[in-house]
């Protein structure tokens, strides 16, 4: 395959994180599939396995792989990495900053996936979304964002790996668009 053909390969963007983090809602808000009513999170179904779709991302056709985050699916991805982690250009990792209960699991899941992405898609850009930072959200002194970063940043810094961080909420559509380069 020559370079010209190569350039026409669709880009692969993955969005991962624990169950209930808000991944599918983020994609649906981004693509206009759902309209958000103030103060009312839309009712969503858990994603079963990987849901694939196509979006325009920086004006390029981009394949989105939305990885359902329930435990059985997480184990499946981790035990069969070659099926999931090749040729990724963008790796979005969503952390629910209101979910204290799942925070440590989310750190561990990130670390496991990160190792596989380093191996199979070393060029992937890493983007963290600290999500559900709703306008009326009262900051929690437990500081989940800080705790998460405290645990994962040393790994990234050790290898000098660049990453980007966004605070997002579906109740501020601009925050979602900005995280996907649309503002
Ligand atoms: N408060 C609040 N709730 C949100 C936000 N984004 C999503 N939610 C809610 O979070 C819940 C889970 O959303 P999903 O998009 O299904 O989560 P998911 O990460 O795709 O979950 P899995 O498919 O199981 O991995 C739903 O009730 C959403 O309405 C947000 O910005 N703020
Ligand atoms: Mg989902």
């Amino acid at each position: 395959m020559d370079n010209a053909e190569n350039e026409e390969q669709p880009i692969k963007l993955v969005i991962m994180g624990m169950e209930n983090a808000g991944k599918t809602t983020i994609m649906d808000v981004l693509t206009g599939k759902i309209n958000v009513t103030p103060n009312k999170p839309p009712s969503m179904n858990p994603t079963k396995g990987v849901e694939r779709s196509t979006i325009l991302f920086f004006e390029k056709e981009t394949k989105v792989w939305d990885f359902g985050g329930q435990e059985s699916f997480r184990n499946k991805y981790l035990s069969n990495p070659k099926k999931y982690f090749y040729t990724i250009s963008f790796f979005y990792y969503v952390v629910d900053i209101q979910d204290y209960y799942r925070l440590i699991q989310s750190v561990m899941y990130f670390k496991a996936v990160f190792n596989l992405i380093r191996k199979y898609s070393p060029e992937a850009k890493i983007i963290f979304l600290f999500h559900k930072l709703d306008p009326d959200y009262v900051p929690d002194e437990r500081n989940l964002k800080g705790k998460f970063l405290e645990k994962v940043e040393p790994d990234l810094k050790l290898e000098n790996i660049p990453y980007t961080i966004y605070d997002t909420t579906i109740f501020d559509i601009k925050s979602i668009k900005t995280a996907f380069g649309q503002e």
Side-chain angles (χ1 to χ4, degrees):
M1 187 186 284
D2 65 24
N3 277 340
E5 270 179 87
N6 237 331
E7 276 168 27
E8 279 160 29
Q9 287 293 305
I11 294 157
K12 177 174 168 188
L13 179 158
V14 308
I15 180 162
M16 302 187 76
M18 297 294 289
E19 71 268 36
N20 203 54
K23 302 176 292 295
T24 306
T25 320
I26 290 170
M27 293 318 302
D28 285 357
V29 167
L30 183 72
T31 55
K33 231 187 247 173
I34 49 178
N35 285 314
V36 178
T37 317
N39 300 320
K40 214 174 149 228
S43 115
M44 303 291 293
N45 293 319
T47 305
K48 307 283 183 210
V50 181
E51 206 174 284
R52 294 173 178 79
S53 60
T54 304
I55 62 166
L56 269 186
F57 181 65
F58 287 103
E59 293 169 11
K60 293 212 175 84
E61 186 184 317
T62 300
K63 298 269 177 236
V64 175
W65 290 30
D66 172 5
F67 281 68
Q70 290 183 333
E71 188 176 13
S72 60
F73 301 124
R74 279 185 267 128
N75 293 336
K76 197 168 127 193
Y77 314 141
L78 298 176
S79 60
N80 195 358
K82 288 184 180 162
K83 190 168 168 200
Y84 299 100
F85 297 116
Y86 272 125
T87 66
I88 297 169
S89 299
F90 296 92
F91 168 43
Y92 278 77
Y93 192 81
V94 182
V95 182
D96 177 346
I97 56 105
Q98 299 194 21
D99 190 352
Y100 187 74
Y101 170 73
R102 289 194 181 89
L103 186 76
I104 289 305
Q105 273 179 296
S106 181
V107 167
M108 293 190 312
Y109 185 42
F110 173 79
K111 289 187 181 221
V113 172
F114 170 67
N115 280 330
L116 295 169
I117 290 193
R118 290 292 294 148
K119 185 164 174 197
Y120 294 105
S121 294
E123 305 293 322
K125 289 203 164 52
I126 302 170
I127 302 110
F128 292 103
L129 304 187
F130 289 97
H131 189 54
K132 305 196 186 177
L133 200 80
D134 302 343
D136 62 355
Y137 179 68
V138 181
D140 184 330
E141 76 283 355
R142 292 176 300 186
N143 183 16
L144 272 58
K145 175 179 172 181
K147 279 211 169 59
F148 182 92
L149 287 172
E150 196 178 282
K151 299 266 192 298
V152 309
E153 273 183 323
D155 297 15
L156 296 156
K157 288 193 170 142
L158 193 69
E159 293 185 62
N160 251 324
I161 294 164
Y163 54 94
T164 314
I165 295 174
Y166 293 98
D167 292 335
T168 52
T169 168
I170 54 163
F171 300 109
D172 173 10
I173 190 166
K174 194 165 174 278
S175 73
I176 306 283
K177 294 204 161 184
T178 302
F180 286 84
Q182 294 188 6
E183 285 284 315

